[in-house]
Amino acid sequence: MEHPLIIACDSGSPAHRAGITPGERLISINDNPIADVLDYMYHSAEGSLSMELIDQNGKRRRVNIIREGYEPIGLSFETYLMDKPRACANKCIFCFIDQLPKGLRKTLYFKDDDARLSFLMGNYITLTNLTERELQRIIDLKISPVNISVHTTNPELRSFMLQNKKAAEGYQIMRRLAAAGISMNCQIVIVPSINDADELERSMRDLISLFPQVASVSVVPVGITKYRQGLHPISPCTGKEAADIIKAVDSFGNMCLEKYGTRVFYCGDELYLKAGLPLPPYEYYEDFPQYENGVGMLRALEYEFRAEIEKIELPSKISPFSFSVATGAAAEGLLINLLQIIENKCYNIKGSVFKIRNNFFGEHVDVAGLITGGDIMSQLRDKPLGERLLIPACMLRHGGDLFLDDVSLGELENALNVPILPVPNDGAMLARAMLGQKL
């Protein structure tokens, strides 16, 4: 094991006062081996620390650190995890990354399956990469919640879906975590005719047996691009299949609500759109435990938008203002409704909603976060876009400068000859952006 490399030591910090220098590696804290960021976070929480270090020549030494309260130690390491990220060991038959075209940024092809990122960043893991040491550490340190991609609790079926024999152990590992009091959030990606119907019922029964440690479960449809040549043949959810899934999940969730006071199981917004069914009311989603998985996201956006519009005090005369919004097919209907609310309140404001077809990934991909700059450019060129174009910020990579196809925000602005404003997934900010206000 290579010990974490220290690359910086803040001036005046406890580590600096103790004489720690960049280039040294951290071996242990209070005789606890430090392999990564989780070890470091847990074992560095005390006020008095004895750190064992090794320099570039292999010489070891100990330093003692005394700090006051929650004063930062002051060390920076070579990587955020203080270790290399764990690549996924599975070959899932529905993996979205395997369906990406060639020629994109290298980072887009990296599949992580790292328990540390599950805790620190909310990423979902399959448990197949988990070593016994890491599993025991989760239990010993009471690391919660752990976010788990379950898909099915049937061992043989899970091994097939993940193309990994170790995947069969998933539910047993979850039982071990539950017995230790570890909270889990789960997701099930539905692949029609494989893990729906009776298999979905089985998975829900198995997962609710681990309540309350299994705190929430999202059920979402498989995503399919046009780049599936050579991959296992699967089909997208039809409207009827989506409706059947919703019926099964809502029925089971209603039973849980009556028995446990929470429904636990939720369908993703996309299933309702595919089925042509209205989204559930805002209260249905309780405290939105599966928001990041697209569960209740559209309803929350609408709720925040309406609340903001109600409290905004507009002047008696507002300067004429025109704008446009680009979005994927999934959110088009909602945005048209929200635009109508704005225009009814402010007659001098005129907006347009443009649905962008996903030519890059294919017709079955309809979420805004997977729209490319090239598709926006080709479909909105010469369109009347008004004084500025609003786009969901999720279309851009972290940092807000590039679309998935490496088209930059500046390139798109120049091509369309209009200022572009990326708007976070927040209904209040969307309302202010539509009104021409600063975010």
Side-chain angles (χ1 to χ4, degrees):
M1 180 185 73
E2 192 171 45
H3 303 293
L5 176 65
I6 298 168
I7 60 169
C9 184
D10 297 341
S11 179
S13 67
H16 181 259
R17 296 195 298 268
I20 297 177
T21 59
E24 293 185 288
R25 293 182 180 271
L26 178 60
I27 298 174
S28 67
I29 297 177
N30 293 342
D31 294 323
N32 297 293
I34 304 300
D36 58 25
V37 64
L38 293 188
D39 290 335
Y40 181 72
M41 289 172 63
Y42 183 80
H43 294 298
S44 66
E46 299 179 17
S48 178
L49 307 174
S50 175
M51 291 189 171
E52 185 180 7
L53 305 161
I54 185 170
D55 66 16
Q56 296 172 356
N57 299 316
K59 183 179 179 180
R60 296 191 178 211
R61 69 185 182 112
R62 280 188 179 272
V63 299
N64 295 315
I65 289 179
I66 304 294
R67 58 180 181 154
E68 298 180 3
Y70 293 101
E71 182 184 12
I73 294 173
L75 292 177
S76 297
F77 294 87
E78 186 176 20
T79 65
Y80 171 69
L81 290 174
M82 300 168 58
D83 187 19
K84 295 179 180 178
R86 302 282 173 78
C88 183
N90 309 316
K91 191 68 175 176
C92 298
I93 62 172
F94 54 88
C95 179
F96 194 84
I97 293 177
D98 287 343
Q99 302 177 68
L100 295 179
K102 295 180 180 179
L104 301 180
R105 295 191 302 275
K106 288 183 178 180
T107 54
L108 296 175
Y109 299 101
F110 180 76
K111 296 185 268 187
D112 84 78
D113 194 14
D114 200 314
R116 298 163 300 184
L117 291 174
S118 177
F119 174 65
L120 297 169
M121 307 292 290
N123 295 18
Y124 277 73
I125 60 171
T126 64
L127 304 176
T128 60
N129 253 356
L130 210 57
T131 65
E132 177 58 31
R133 176 190 182 275
E134 290 168 330
L135 177 57
Q136 192 59 50
R137 180 174 64 175
I138 291 172
I139 293 170
D140 292 342
L141 304 188
K142 301 295 181 185
I143 295 173
S144 280
V146 177
N147 301 316
I148 301 173
S149 292
V150 177
H151 310 315
T152 178
T153 57
N154 179 332
E156 292 77 18
L157 181 58
R158 194 167 193 263
S159 289
F160 166 72
M161 292 186 71
L162 275 60
Q163 294 291 286
N164 186 334
K165 290 182 179 179
K166 193 174 180 182
E169 304 169 11
Y171 183 59
Q172 294 305 316
I173 293 174
M174 292 183 65
R175 291 181 64 182
R176 186 173 166 186
L177 292 172
I182 304 301
S183 179
M184 292 167 276
N185 296 310
C186 305
Q187 71 169 356
I188 296 174
V189 174
I190 292 292
V191 182
S193 301
I194 293 181
N195 65 331
D196 55 354
D198 291 344
E199 290 294 346
L200 175 59
E201 293 282 353
R202 169 183 173 157
S203 294
M204 291 192 293
R205 288 195 304 271
D206 286 343
L207 291 175
I208 200 59
S209 73
L210 303 183
F211 181 83
Q213 277 66 47
V214 167
S216 69
V217 181
S218 63
V219 180
V220 300
V222 64
I224 296 180
T225 80
K226 63 183 181 182
Y227 302 100
R228 286 200 58 83
Q229 296 81 0
L231 300 178
H232 185 88
I234 60 176
S235 301
C237 285
T238 65
K240 181 182 183 306
E241 287 168 336
D244 289 343
I245 293 166
I246 291 169
K247 182 179 179 181
V249 174
D250 274 357
S251 176
F252 200 86
N254 289 336
M255 179 274 292
C256 294
L257 184 62
E258 183 175 346
K259 186 173 181 179
Y260 303 111
T262 174
R263 63 177 53 254
V264 182
F265 296 86
Y266 306 85
C267 283
D269 295 355
E270 195 176 352
L271 280 170
Y272 290 94
L273 298 176
K274 286 180 179 293
L277 296 173
L279 292 169
Y282 183 85
E283 297 75 17
Y284 170 95
Y285 297 100
E286 300 174 30
D287 59 352
F288 289 79
Q290 289 281 345
Y291 180 85
E292 296 299 332
N293 268 336
V295 176
M297 191 173 282
L298 294 178
R299 187 61 80 197
L301 187 75
E302 178 188 25
Y303 180 88
E304 294 161 352
F305 184 94
R306 289 179 179 276
E308 183 69 12
I309 289 297
E310 287 298 319
K311 70 180 184 181
I312 287 178
E313 293 185 8
L314 297 174
S316 57
K317 288 188 177 181
I318 189 168
S319 299
F321 175 69
S322 62
F323 67 94
S324 53
V325 182
T327 188
E332 179 194 20
L334 173 63
L335 287 170
I336 289 173
N337 291 338
L338 299 184
L339 175 60
Q340 188 63 56
I341 294 171
I342 283 282
E343 292 183 339
N344 288 342
K345 190 176 183 75
C346 315
Y347 295 104
N348 276 358
I349 291 180
K350 297 297 178 185
S352 301
V353 174
F354 291 98
K355 176 183 72 174
I356 307 300
R357 297 185 311 277
N358 202 320
N359 297 326
F360 188 88
F361 286 113
E363 61 179 335
H364 297 304
V365 178
D366 56 8
V367 294
L370 294 174
I371 295 293
T372 62
D375 276 344
I376 298 174
M377 190 181 298
S378 63
Q379 294 174 45
L380 296 190
R381 198 186 297 272
D382 301 325
K383 298 287 187 186
L385 301 178
E387 295 172 44
R388 63 176 170 179
L389 172 66
L390 312 182
I391 64 169
C394 62
M395 289 182 178
L396 301 167
R397 74 173 181 181
H398 183 70
D401 57 345
L402 288 177
F403 292 87
L404 283 169
D405 57 353
D406 283 346
V407 171
S408 73
L409 196 62
E411 288 175 321
L412 187 58
E413 286 182 323
N414 290 336
L416 299 180
N417 195 30
V418 65
I420 299 176
L421 177 64
V423 182
N425 191 45
D426 179 286
M429 288 190 178
L430 176 61
R432 292 198 290 271
M434 285 186 172
L435 290 167
Q437 300 178 356
K438 291 184 178 180
L439 301 186

